[in-house]
Amino acid sequence: MANSTTPSNRTGWYALACLLLVGSLLALSLVVAKLADNAGAPRLSFLMVAVAGAGLLLLALAAVQRQPMKLNRRILEYGVVSGALFALPNALVFLAVRHVGAGFISLSFAFPILLTWMLAVGLGMERVNALRLLGVMLGLTGGVLLAWAKAGGMQGAQGWAALVLAIPLILALGNIYRTLRWPGETGAVYLAALMLLGGALTLAPFVLVFESGQVRQLLGWEVIRLLLAEAMVFTVLYVFYFVLQKIAGPVYLSQIGMVAALVGTLIAVTLLGEAVPPYLSLAAALVVLGAFLFHRGASRRDTTPPATADA
């Protein structure tokens, strides 16, 4: 009798574990960013330095692992474009949060999974699968319910609101781009390093325009400690982020936004003393059930995985 734990099943459970880890680390990175903002750190400068530090750490890790570290035109394009698609949504979040509120921004992060799935189906990267569609819709409903409860009374300019609504589209395009243009001759850690360094390069003009002369505020001891913590979180986060993209594809990866919203809310309630948002239990149940159904649908191997080298 064949072993019931097939390689496909093991990969599926590994992908689920990576999803939970990456979503939780993403939530933790947002908590650290909030603490840094409370400590007076300029937001974009803090993000740029933390991202650059994590990129350098990952570059060193790729060298220690002796991963192929080529830098031809294709790989340079991958680092720059994936870095820009990673950095721009983060910059928009940091700039818009004071105008439209965190609740409205949280709402936008519920949509990348649906947009990614639609793009993947349209490009032939996914087949229409009823179980996966049900999982997407349940998770999306949970994310929207949680964000709507947090949104309360949004007060902000229409222009900023329109920019925030561009965030899920940029995230979805990034998910698809990294899969379609994944260079097969190099490793995931090296590619993650290039994306982060490309992201830091993209953030630099925003820092010069919006926070010129504020970089010195990063030199306080409390902010330095938070910078080190954020760089370490980003380092671990984006190793497994690229591993998850490699083994599970862009749609599965896009579930991290819902996991991060749920875990971030739990951290805010238990550790930061924030009020419990309405419908938290129902939203959590929908997100967990949606992720489970999507995982079951993914085990049927309806995706076309990216052609990659070993991580």
Coordinates of all heavy atoms in Angstrom, one line a residue, residues 36 39-42 46 214-228:
A36 N 7.3 52.3 15.8 CA 8.3 53.3 15.4 C 7.7 54.6 15.1 O 8.2 55.7 15.4 CB 9.0 52.7 14.1
A39 N 7.2 56.3 18.2 CA 8.5 56.8 18.8 C 9.0 58.0 18.0 O 10.1 58.5 18.3 CB 9.5 55.7 18.7
G40 N 8.3 58.5 17.0 CA 8.7 59.7 16.3 C 9.5 59.4 15.0 O 10.1 60.4 14.5
A41 N 9.6 58.2 14.6 CA 10.4 57.9 13.4 C 9.7 58.3 12.1 O 8.5 58.1 12.0 CB 10.8 56.4 13.3
P42 N 10.3 59.0 11.2 CA 9.7 59.3 9.9 C 9.3 58.0 9.2 O 10.2 57.1 9.0 CB 10.7 60.1 9.1 CG 12.0 59.7 9.8 CD 11.8 59.4 11.2
F46 N 12.0 55.2 7.8 CA 12.1 53.9 8.6 C 11.9 52.7 7.7 O 12.7 51.7 7.8 CB 11.0 54.0 9.7 CG 11.0 52.8 10.6 CD1 11.9 52.7 11.7 CD2 10.2 51.7 10.3 CE1 11.9 51.6 12.6 CE2 10.3 50.6 11.2 CZ 11.1 50.5 12.3
Q214 N 14.6 64.6 7.6 CA 14.1 63.9 8.8 C 14.8 62.6 9.1 O 14.6 61.9 10.1 CB 12.6 63.6 8.6 CG 11.7 64.8 8.4 CD 10.3 64.4 8.3 OE1 9.8 63.6 9.0 NE2 9.6 65.1 7.4
V215 N 15.8 62.2 8.2 CA 16.5 60.9 8.4 C 17.2 60.9 9.8 O 17.3 59.8 10.4 CB 17.4 60.7 7.2 CG1 18.2 59.3 7.4 CG2 16.7 60.6 5.9
R216 N 17.7 62.0 10.2 CA 18.4 62.0 11.5 C 17.6 61.6 12.7 O 18.1 61.1 13.7 CB 19.0 63.4 11.8 CG 17.9 64.5 12.1 CD 18.5 65.9 12.1 NE 18.9 66.3 10.8 CZ 19.5 67.5 10.6 NH1 19.7 68.3 11.5 NH2 19.8 67.8 9.3
Q217 N 16.2 61.6 12.5 CA 15.3 61.1 13.6 C 15.4 59.6 13.8 O 14.9 59.1 14.7 CB 13.9 61.6 13.3 CG 13.7 63.1 13.3 CD 12.3 63.5 12.9 OE1 11.4 62.7 13.1 NE2 12.2 64.7 12.3
L218 N 16.1 58.9 12.8 CA 16.2 57.5 13.0 C 17.4 57.1 13.9 O 17.6 56.0 14.2 CB 16.5 56.9 11.6 CG 15.5 57.0 10.5 CD1 16.0 56.4 9.2 CD2 14.2 56.3 10.9
L219 N 18.1 58.1 14.4 CA 19.3 57.9 15.2 C 19.1 57.7 16.7 O 20.0 57.4 17.4 CB 20.4 59.0 15.0 CG 20.8 59.1 13.5 CD1 21.8 60.3 13.4 CD2 21.4 57.8 13.0
G220 N 17.8 57.9 17.1 CA 17.5 57.7 18.5 C 17.6 56.2 18.9 O 17.3 55.3 18.0
W221 N 18.0 55.9 20.1 CA 18.3 54.5 20.5 C 17.0 53.7 20.3 O 17.1 52.5 19.9 CB 18.8 54.5 21.9 CG 19.0 53.1 22.4 CD1 18.4 52.5 23.5 CD2 19.8 52.0 21.9 NE1 18.8 51.2 23.7 CE2 19.7 50.9 22.7 CE3 20.6 52.0 20.7 CZ2 20.3 49.7 22.4 CZ3 21.3 50.8 20.4 CH2 21.1 49.6 21.3
E222 N 15.8 54.2 20.8 CA 14.6 53.4 20.7 C 14.3 53.1 19.2 O 13.9 52.0 18.9 CB 13.5 54.1 21.3 CG 12.1 53.4 21.3 CD 11.0 54.1 22.0 OE1 11.2 55.2 22.5 OE2 9.9 53.6 22.0
V223 N 14.5 54.1 18.3 CA 14.2 53.9 16.9 C 15.2 52.9 16.3 O 14.8 52.0 15.5 CB 14.2 55.2 16.2 CG1 14.0 55.0 14.7 CG2 13.1 56.1 16.7
I224 N 16.4 53.0 16.7 CA 17.4 52.0 16.2 C 17.1 50.6 16.6 O 17.2 49.7 15.7 CB 18.8 52.4 16.7 CG1 19.3 53.7 16.1 CG2 19.8 51.3 16.5 CD1 20.6 54.2 16.6
R225 N 16.6 50.4 17.8 CA 16.2 49.0 18.2 C 15.0 48.5 17.4 O 15.0 47.4 17.0 CB 15.8 49.0 19.7 CG 17.0 49.1 20.7 CD 16.6 48.9 22.1 NE 15.6 49.8 22.5 CZ 14.9 49.7 23.6 NH1 15.1 48.7 24.5 NH2 14.0 50.7 24.0
L226 N 14.1 49.4 17.1 CA 13.0 49.0 16.3 C 13.4 48.8 14.8 O 12.8 47.9 14.2 CB 11.9 50.1 16.4 CG 11.2 50.2 17.7 CD1 10.3 51.5 17.8 CD2 10.3 49.0 18.0
L227 N 14.3 49.6 14.4 CA 14.9 49.3 13.0 C 15.5 47.9 12.9 O 15.3 47.2 11.9 CB 15.9 50.4 12.6 CG 15.4 51.6 11.9 CD1 16.6 52.6 11.7 CD2 14.9 51.2 10.5
L228 N 16.3 47.6 13.9 CA 16.9 46.2 13.9 C 15.9 45.2 13.9 O 16.0 44.1 13.2 CB 17.9 46.1 15.1 CG 19.1 47.0 15.0 CD1 19.9 46.9 16.3 CD2 20.0 46.6 13.8

